[in-house]
Amino acid sequence: MDKDKRIIVLGAGVMGLSTTLSLLENGYKDISLYDKRDYFAKRYSYFDGCDSPSSDLNKIFRSSYGAEVHYQKMSFLSREKFQRWNREIAEQKWEGGEPIYLNTGNVHLTDRGELPEFERLTLENMPEHSIHITDADAGERAVKQGLDPCSVDPFDMRRKGKNLQGVLDTTGGMTLADKSCRWVLEKCIAMGKDRLKTFFGDCGTFKELLLEFNSKTLKRKCVGIKTLDNEAHKCDHLIVCVGPWTTEVIPEASEKLEATGGSVCLIKITDEKLKERFNQSKFPTWTYKVRDGAIGGLYGFPCTGGYLKIGYRGLKWINPQNGLNSKVKTKWSPDETETNIPLFALKQIKNFVREHIPEIPKITMTRLCWYSDSEDNDYLISFCPYYEENSVFVMGGDSGHAFMMLGSIGDVAVGIINGTGNKLFKDLFSWERERPKLNPINGGKEDPRCLEDTVMATPKDWYIHEPPKL
């Protein structure tokens, strides 16, 4: 793309922010950033009406990727950027100067008898940054790398007689998601000056594509977008970064992507002992039986903002509606809203809490957190072949593992756009590549994960033990 061309970036979440920053750093001169949420006012807060996957308390950071060393390298590059941002934030005392990346470790736990292949390959491919937690000196080595002893067995499972295997990623930990987004948005504004315009709220809400039809080639070119306020905004290139809403903007993307909802519970922590135990300065992020299908797939975080967050991705729910393979439905959706999660998912989380954190009496709130899933969990970062002259570039397929790449995914995208980046990434993330069908998509209303046919939990199900008698 010519650096003088008009570029619209649609979506100001992790992919949109990272790409906007990289475009600015690479000298692009006319960029407009759009989003339906007024992130200046709402500050990426899920509690204040923001429902993108990036609008969250926290996200897992990890570099452990088994055999997928290319993602490991992307994560290392992103981590370097996060570490630099931490230093800048401290120097500037921005929002109090506290870091946005907390390196407390990310531990993969399982009750299998042997270490799963993914974790075994992680040990092989990042030996300096991973620890087999069953090693006799695992705790000592974790402490030497600046982590708390609890990082190798955060729920004290071994002392309780539980079978336990796992790998501690010592580069891992947590990013403060909403604060990280605010930081990168502020960097974009500062660097953009007269090169960047922002449109948030109604004036940034996508309504439809502006298209020109070529009667000779019988193809279309995107020449801009119309927003909810009926204003037309022209561009030479549209970069679509709207996560689970991708197929609503680019219908052709449904052949590659599907919006799926993960199940999340938030637990307000008031007990001082629990607050100290789950303190975000020492407690790791964790996964449990994450590759064990429906009876597994748990992950969780330290206490952030007074909340302990535990999620379930053993099954990822879909919502086929009105010609869409899956439509996002959250607490803040403009039409049909949803504040509950499937009862099956809630029970998986409750069973874990009941066994490993029995002090917790009740879940405080639940949330469906939507992602853009590809068939093989690899990103889609590619020009869309259905629009001429490279007029539409799509970034999606985060598959639940994009936020940790906030510091690097924009550079990957701009490298693909310019043809100057890593050929492996261009091919791997391309539209044209035939992808192995690890994740079923486009199952429609016959898919057993369809929310319409799923029993949803209600607040009465939030009690971990027996609910109190009235």
Side-chain angles (χ1 to χ4, degrees), residues 36-50 178 182 332:
K36 65 181 179 179
R37 302 302 185 198
D38 183 356
Y39 286 134
F40 293 117
K42 296 183 178 297
R43 297 171 59 80
Y44 289 89
S45 170
Y46 175 74
F47 299 99
D48 193 21
C50 301
D178 48 4
R182 295 196 298 272
W332 307 111

Side-chain angles (χ1 to χ4, degrees), residues 1 47 60 94 127 156 233 237 254 285 294 336 372 378 399:
M1 295 193 305
F47 299 99
I60 286 176
W94 182 80
D156 211 11
H233 306 264
H237 301 280
S254 62
T285 56
E336 187 181 9
S372 166
D378 285 319
S399 302

Side-chain angles (χ1 to χ4, degrees), residues 23 66 90 107 123 129 192 209 262 284 405 408 432:
L23 288 168
V107 62
L123 289 171
H129 302 290
L209 297 174
M405 306 298 187
S408 61
E432 294 77 10

Side-chain angles (χ1 to χ4, degrees), residues 359-414:
E359 302 94 329
I360 290 175
K362 186 175 180 289
I363 287 162
T364 308
M365 63 182 292
T366 62
R367 169 190 182 181
L368 280 172
C369 188
W370 291 83
Y371 305 89
S372 166
D373 270 6
S374 68
E375 288 184 295
D376 59 356
N377 296 321
D378 285 319
Y379 308 141
L380 176 67
I381 304 178
S382 179
F383 285 106
C384 178
Y386 297 100
Y387 299 86
E388 285 193 320
E389 298 183 31
N390 287 343
S391 58
V392 173
F393 188 79
V394 174
M395 297 181 67
D398 61 271
S399 302
H401 70 120
F403 202 96
M404 68 195 75
M405 306 298 187
L406 179 61
S408 61
I409 201 166
D411 293 338
V412 169
V414 173

Side-chain angles (χ1 to χ4, degrees), residues 220-337:
R220 301 162 300 164
K221 180 175 78 169
C222 177
V223 295
I225 63 171
K226 182 180 284 188
T227 46
L228 188 62
D229 57 1
N230 284 318
E231 289 292 321
H233 306 264
K234 294 297 187 74
C235 69
D236 300 294
H237 301 280
L238 172 66
I239 301 176
V240 179
C241 306
V242 295
W245 292 275
T246 301
T247 58
E248 297 186 38
V249 176
I250 308 295
E252 298 86 352
S254 62
E255 67 185 35
K256 297 292 180 182
L257 306 174
E258 184 174 66
T260 66
S263 305
V264 173
C265 290
L266 293 174
I267 302 160
K268 185 72 174 176
I269 301 297
T270 56
D271 181 88
E272 293 302 323
K273 288 184 178 179
L274 282 183
K275 280 185 181 179
E276 178 55 29
R277 177 183 171 189
F278 294 109
N279 190 303
Q280 67 180 25
S281 66
K282 65 178 183 179
F283 198 81
T285 56
W286 54 272
T287 65
Y288 184 62
K289 300 174 66 171
V290 74
R291 271 166 284 279
D292 285 13
I295 309 298
L298 293 166
Y299 63 95
F301 298 82
C303 186
T304 300
Y307 287 94
L308 198 64
K309 187 175 88 175
I310 300 177
Y312 169 78
R313 288 274 283 173
L315 286 174
K316 299 170 285 185
W317 315 96
I318 63 168
N319 185 35
Q321 295 287 326
N322 302 325
L324 289 171
N325 57 4
S326 185
K327 183 177 176 63
V328 175
K329 182 168 65 168
T330 75
K331 178 180 181 179
W332 307 111
S333 296
D335 37 29
E336 187 181 9
T337 61

Side-chain angles (χ1 to χ4, degrees), residues 47 55-59 175-178 266 304-305 307 309:
F47 299 99
S55 304
D56 208 342
L57 284 171
N58 43 27
K59 297 290 186 185
T175 54
L176 300 178
D178 48 4
L266 293 174
T304 300
Y307 287 94
K309 187 175 88 175

